[in-house]
Amino acid sequence: MELTPQQLKNYDGTDPSKPIYVAIRGQIYDVTAGKSFYGPGGDYHVFAGKDATRALAKMSKDENDVVPSVDGLSEKEIGVLNDWEKKFQAKYPTVGTVAGN
């Protein structure tokens, strides 16, 4: 499955009939099992329905950081991103990709 960033927004947990998706480096993960974190009111809801690559690398929940760009990230931040990516791969199923990545 391939979703545009606009289509991905439909999977942010606000519609209980749909799964919750978070993308990292263009890979979309079904994080519905973690809906207490990613669903509405959850600590990480800001990532739901988006590509959270930069925010995860920077350990940021700032809405402005929830973008796919890795431009200007430090070596340490790339390492943090790699760790997050491994955690997602181990914990959540990959369901598709974000178009244009």
Side-chain angles (χ1 to χ4, degrees):
M1 165 178 61
E2 185 176 72
L3 298 175
T4 66
Q6 195 61 40
Q7 290 169 321
L8 183 59
K9 289 178 182 178
N10 294 319
Y11 298 91
D12 67 355
T14 56
D15 180 345
S17 71
K18 292 182 178 172
I20 303 170
Y21 294 161
V22 172
I24 302 174
R25 288 186 178 154
Q27 289 294 310
I28 303 170
Y29 298 90
D30 182 339
V31 299
T32 309
K35 70 179 167 194
S36 62
F37 298 107
Y38 298 101
D43 283 348
Y44 300 116
H45 180 65
V46 69
F47 303 148
K50 298 179 186 136
D51 188 317
T53 300
R54 185 174 202 80
L56 291 170
K58 295 174 78 62
M59 302 284 287
S60 168
K61 289 194 239 175
D62 183 325
E63 188 82 42
N64 295 322
D65 287 329
V66 186
V67 296
S69 172
V70 295
D71 292 345
L73 291 178
S74 71
E75 211 172 295
K76 182 179 179 187
E77 288 167 334
I78 294 291
V80 168
L81 177 60
N82 290 340
D83 289 345
W84 274 111
E85 197 169 24
K86 285 179 192 142
K87 285 177 189 163
F88 271 69
Q89 288 167 347
K91 192 169 185 175
Y92 301 114
T94 304
V95 294
T97 59
V98 180
N101 270 346

